[in-house]
Amino acid sequence: MAAKVFYTYIVRCSDDSLYTGYTTNLSRRVKEHNEGKKGAKYTRSRRPVTLVYYEKYDTKHDAMSREALIKQLSHRQKYMLIKGEGKKE
């Protein structure tokens, strides 16, 4: 059985704002943000969203902790993270 992978991710909304979250399935989660009612309330009025950054973690706790840290960053710091680090695998 494959180990479960958790992702912390950032999507760019149509108004150029950023939304950070965590999930176990990136493609499904981005689709949920762009369709239906399962996307975050924040992104529903800012569609479409585009995945711009993600990091992989072995535990839900680590992914959620990283999500909380990223949400504390300024808008500028988030853009630097997206541009500077790329994707962490």
Side-chain angles (χ1 to χ4, degrees), residues 7-12 18-23 26 30 50-57 66-67 70 73 77-89:
Y7 299 92
T8 301
Y9 66 91
I10 301 174
V11 293
R12 178 176 289 122
L18 300 172
Y19 175 84
T20 304
Y22 81 93
T23 187
L26 281 171
V30 172
T50 306
L51 180 67
V52 293
Y53 182 82
Y54 69 90
E55 299 175 355
K56 290 168 93 171
Y57 292 94
R66 180 62 170 154
E67 174 194 18
I70 291 173
L73 297 176
Q77 290 171 317
K78 289 176 190 176
Y79 273 102
M80 289 172 59
L81 177 66
I82 293 165
K83 287 183 148 193
E85 276 191 26
K87 297 177 179 110
K88 178 183 173 190
E89 305 249 4

Side-chain angles (χ1 to χ4, degrees), residues 4-87:
K4 200 168 207 174
V5 177
F6 298 87
Y7 299 92
T8 301
Y9 66 91
I10 301 174
V11 293
R12 178 176 289 122
C13 300
S14 62
D15 64 356
D16 208 32
S17 63
L18 300 172
Y19 175 84
T20 304
Y22 81 93
T23 187
T24 56
N25 185 321
L26 281 171
S27 59
R28 183 200 78 231
R29 191 64 182 131
V30 172
K31 185 176 179 180
E32 288 172 352
H33 281 300
N34 281 315
E35 302 172 1
K37 295 182 180 178
K38 288 194 174 192
K41 186 176 181 181
Y42 181 84
T43 60
R44 281 187 218 144
S45 63
R46 294 168 171 85
R47 294 176 179 160
V49 304
T50 306
L51 180 67
V52 293
Y53 182 82
Y54 69 90
E55 299 175 355
K56 290 168 93 171
Y57 292 94
D58 294 330
T59 68
K60 181 178 179 179
H61 178 267
D62 289 344
M64 290 178 72
S65 294
R66 180 62 170 154
E67 174 194 18
L69 287 172
I70 291 173
K71 285 184 173 185
Q72 303 259 335
L73 297 176
S74 70
H75 195 72
R76 184 172 189 271
Q77 290 171 317
K78 289 176 190 176
Y79 273 102
M80 289 172 59
L81 177 66
I82 293 165
K83 287 183 148 193
E85 276 191 26
K87 297 177 179 110

